[in-house]
Amino acid sequence: MARRKKIYEGKAKIMYEGPEPGTMVQYFKDDATAFNAEKRAVIEGKGVLNNRLSEFFMTGLTQVGIPNHFIKRLNMREQLIRSVEIIPLEVIVRNFAAGSICKRLGMAEGTPMPRPIVEFCYKDDALGDPLVAEEHIIAFGWASQQDLDDMIALALRVNDFLSGVMLAVGIKLVDFKIEIGRVWENDFHRLIVADEISPDSCRLWDIETGRKLDKDVFRRDLGSLADAYTEVARRLGVLPTNVTHAPKPTLIN
Ligand code: TMP
Ligand code: ASP
């Protein structure tokens, strides 16, 4: 495919103009960042794994009727997606306490939530993506009340789907973050899941051992991030054939 015009480069992905109006190409980089990019590394193979994993999760969402931006995977690192007007909010769903909620509310890591907790953070790197209330979202016009209700419903549907998929391979979905975008049809818009769903944006713990299989491995220096993501991909049956970290075939006598 001919080189395309770059639209935007983020910390983990690059967006290029798509081949047709209303489409974009999403390229997954190997860069890992944490703590608002204070910590950085290049993890060989991460982009390839996340491209596959996001394809797997988004395709599953489509199969259960949850609208999302994924159209098709183009190659090892790129996928074709629908362009959306991104709502400047990170939508977080928590099933168990981990990360910032532990600090904020003094909860022990792993405490089950009484019900899935939906939080919103305002997407602004300079401010460190602060937690915001529904009141801010409506008053400052980032989303309408209808959008907000739809976002919560969408996030909870994604939670039910992802929790089940992960449970089936022995992984607990502790929490995750999604981004949601608007697609316009004449004067009306509807909301669809956008960005990515990958171990960069979820917390995934092995059900038996509690082993962390997500970006906390990098945030907290707990070992090889590529090994953790490879394990998630292997359990889900979505390992690409020529990733450097894929286990080598062994001869069986
Ligand atoms: P938190 O506990 O740090 O608030 O993170 C909650 C979830 O959101 C966790 O699964 C990691 C994910 N997340 C992102 O995808 N991007 C981010 O910038 C942050 C801070 C968290
Ligand atoms: N994605 C954010 C960063 O790049 C934070 C995180 O995931 O911990 O800094």
Side-chain angles (χ1 to χ4, degrees):
M1 203 179 281
R3 210 57 247 165
R4 296 162 298 254
K5 192 174 147 208
K6 192 192 276 190
I7 298 171
Y8 172 78
E9 178 157 1
K11 285 178 280 200
K13 298 186 294 296
I14 307 173
M15 314 300 291
Y16 294 100
E17 205 170 68
E20 290 163 36
T23 66
M24 286 201 287
V25 173
Q26 179 163 261
Y27 175 99
F28 287 78
K29 303 196 281 187
D30 280 343
D31 303 43
T33 65
F35 314 117
N36 208 7
E38 271 173 37
K39 180 170 179 169
R40 301 169 169 274
V42 176
I43 314 279
E44 198 192 326
K46 178 175 87 83
V48 175
L49 287 161
N50 281 354
N51 186 27
R52 289 280 180 153
L53 285 164
S54 203
E55 171 191 18
F56 175 81
F57 294 126
M58 295 288 183
T59 304
L61 291 185
T62 303
Q63 285 165 345
V64 298
I66 303 176
N68 65 85
H69 73 167
F70 183 81
I71 301 173
K72 67 171 180 179
R73 188 169 56 80
L74 298 172
N75 55 47
M76 297 276 280
R77 287 186 183 273
E78 293 179 318
Q79 47 185 246
L80 185 68
I81 57 166
R82 283 190 71 168
S83 35
V84 301
E85 181 185 293
I86 280 283
I87 295 176
L89 297 168
E90 298 198 331
V91 186
I92 294 167
V93 182
R94 300 182 188 274
N95 298 307
F96 297 88
S100 65
I101 199 171
C102 293
K103 276 200 199 131
R104 210 182 318 124
L105 301 179
M107 284 180 167
E109 187 175 64
T111 310
M113 297 288 129
R115 58 182 169 86
I117 301 291
V118 182
E119 292 175 350
F120 296 95
C121 292
Y122 180 53
K123 267 171 67 70
D124 185 320
D125 280 344
L127 299 175
D129 299 341
L131 184 75
V132 291
E134 296 190 8
E135 184 75 350
H136 301 117
I137 296 171
I138 308 294
F140 302 140
W142 298 323
S144 65
Q145 185 65 57
Q146 183 65 56
D147 283 344
L148 201 52
D149 294 346
D150 292 348
M151 286 170 81
I152 293 170
L154 210 46
L156 291 174
R157 287 178 77 193
V158 172
N159 186 44
D160 284 346
F161 168 77
L162 276 185
S163 297
V165 167
M166 299 316 299
L167 180 64
V169 295
I171 294 174
K172 182 192 272 194
L173 178 66
V174 173
D175 60 29
F176 66 93
K177 182 263 311 189
I178 52 170
E179 296 186 23
I180 293 174
R182 299 184 182 95
V183 286
W184 288 89
E185 275 140 26
N186 302 317
D187 285 346
F188 297 96
H189 71 261
R190 55 192 189 89
L191 302 188
I192 69 174
V193 178
D195 189 51
E196 71 178 281
I197 300 178
S198 76
D200 268 10
S201 51
C202 299
R203 282 198 176 89
L204 306 170
W205 297 353
D206 181 84
I207 285 187
E208 296 296 328
T209 65
R211 178 185 165 198
K212 294 186 196 319
L213 296 167
D214 57 66
K215 206 164 90 174
D216 272 350
V217 171
F218 169 70
R219 293 190 189 97
R220 302 202 203 168
D221 297 318
L222 299 176
S224 160
L225 190 73
D227 285 355
Y229 287 22
T230 301
E231 176 64 12
V232 175
R234 189 191 62 75
R235 290 196 197 184
L236 294 169
V238 291
L239 256 190
T241 45
N242 50 348
V243 157
T244 46
H245 291 84
K248 295 197 174 56
T250 47
L251 277 178
I252 298 167
N253 295 317

